[in-house]
Amino acid sequence: MASSGEEPRSGSPGRAGTGTEPAADAAQLDTAEDFEVLEEEEEDDEDDLSELPPLEDVGRPPAPPREDAQGSERGAGDAAGDPEEWLDVLGNGLLKKKTLVPGQGVDSRPQKGQDVTIRLKATLEDGTVVEEDPALTFTLGDCDVLQALDLCVQLLEMGETALIVSDAKYCYGAQGRSPDIPPNASLTLEVELLAARDAPDLELLSGKEKIQLANRKRERGNFFYQQADYVLAINSYDIALRIVGSSSKVDFSPEEEAELLDVKVKCLNNLAASQLKLDHFKAALKSCNQVLEHQPGNIKALFRKGKVLAQQGEYREAIPILKAALKLEPSNKTIHAELSKLVKKHADQRNVETEMYRKMLGNPGATSTPRKCKDKLPWSIPWKWLFGATAIALGGVALSVVIAARN
């Protein structure tokens, strides 16, 4: 995150969360707005509630297979030169670091949570330069940038210049970045650590600064959601919510308070979407309820809460919630489709329960003793009558014994 509060650069590896462009058949992502898909992937309904690109890649063609699955590793080896000069950061050969210019010593390395500034030059394996930034600033350890940077910059000494060769897994993955970084592309990053300082005190941030900072974290969460990395998406949304909810020694205007609430609601809605993807139903339900505490008529939260309850088989509770959402937006096809599906599932569930109860209680027409058997036992006495008569008789005997003892 830039301390100056500027919006992230579009297309920068350091700002991958906000520079990713959607597929050609999808609208341009507006990172200032909330976006999330409200239908399941198998549903072919483009009328989602947000009217913005879906969080998942519905309709995006799969990335073409790599011609050489080991290409990136060989590329890293070719760039490596002498293997002894390279540090295998993760021990899997997919992320390597080599010092070009020594720094000021191990004690000068930055710490997680600090704001660091680096000079960055990123190139493809063929030498094509895809990014140059003379002063990229971000919070170390917050996943604000490419994982390759987040993992390696903490190993740099102040003033050190290093070469980082990274597999696509820790850069832009199977999706790449249109139009300059192809799918499954390894990157070579030349990085110089320029500065490291403690992150600003959240209590002293102005309303505008807090809003900008929280939005950057939220947008990073959106990026991870698009990459189907829901764990990191949740991490970014949680950081944004922590910023919004932090105490402050600065007075905010009513407009700033309203904007902070808007950021909070967006984060909670997308947090619920991420949690639902991981089947964390209890957490997703909590996130939806937090939205509804602030905005009882929030359609996305109502819809998502209904989805969570439906996933848990709570159709009776989910249906009225979806009906409430549909009442707020009667023309929404997505809610119509989901509600119709749940009503059918609920009816099927009730039929199953009815059949189960019928079998438990017994069906006189199907389970009663055949007449020919009854005719053979005309003298049979119901067991409950027999037990009742026995109990009365025993009670009488006991009473007689007590009376006799008293006499």
Side-chain angles (χ1 to χ4, degrees), residues 293-309:
E293 287 176 6
H294 297 291
Q295 298 178 358
N298 187 288
I299 296 177
K300 292 179 181 178
L302 288 170
F303 183 93
R304 207 163 291 287
K305 182 176 181 179
K307 293 275 285 185
V308 172
L309 291 171

Side-chain angles (χ1 to χ4, degrees), residues 6 44 54 84 90 168 182-183 204 206 215 221 225 230 248 252 265 273 291 308-309 312 321 395 407:
E6 295 180 352
D44 188 21
E84 295 182 1
L90 299 175
L204 301 179
S206 67
N215 266 325
Y225 196 115
Y230 306 118
S248 179
F252 299 153
V265 167
V291 174
V308 172
L309 291 171
Q312 295 177 300
I321 292 174
N407 294 334

